[in-house]
Amino acid sequence: MSELPVQNVVSLAIISIVFVALYVYFTFYRDLFHQYRAEYLKRVLAIYILSLLVVAILLTLIQAAPWSTDPVVALKRVVIAAFPATMSAAVSDAIS
């Protein structure tokens, strides 16, 4: 994972945000998007940021994120692990 270029990790983060944005749009806001643009943006950002925080905490707890010795590798791991976590969070948001 430390050999994965930063550009690939950034691309994965962008793809993750796009997938979540599309899922939230088609699940909740398809007919009401013009009225609730701000809420849509807040929901997408909240899902992604909370997923990043949860993944960062879990990776820190299992000592898989070396924040003090190699923060770039830790951040890469968080972004990579957050990809499936964001989709899971969006789906569980739709269930509730």
Side-chain angles (χ1 to χ4, degrees):
M1 237 188 268
S2 60
E3 291 124 17
L4 191 63
V6 174
Q7 180 182 3
N8 291 15
V9 176
V10 170
S11 298
L12 187 61
I14 291 170
I15 291 170
S16 178
I17 293 171
V18 168
F19 281 170
V20 169
L22 288 172
Y23 182 81
V24 168
Y25 174 79
F26 285 111
T27 303
F28 299 109
Y29 294 97
R30 185 181 327 169
D31 300 325
L32 305 169
F33 181 72
H34 296 294
Q35 299 169 354
Y36 297 104
R37 286 183 191 166
E39 287 78 10
Y40 167 76
L41 186 61
K42 285 184 215 174
R43 185 176 235 157
V44 170
L45 290 177
I47 288 172
Y48 193 72
I49 291 170
L50 288 174
S51 296
L52 282 175
L53 287 173
V54 169
V55 168
I57 291 169
L58 291 175
L59 288 179
T60 302
L61 287 176
I62 63 170
Q63 297 178 351
W67 294 107
S68 59
T69 57
D70 199 352
V72 174
V73 170
L75 190 59
K76 286 180 182 181
R77 289 178 182 176
V78 168
V79 170
I80 291 169
F83 181 72
T86 56
M87 289 308 298
S88 300
V91 170
S92 65
D93 184 32
I95 291 172
S96 59

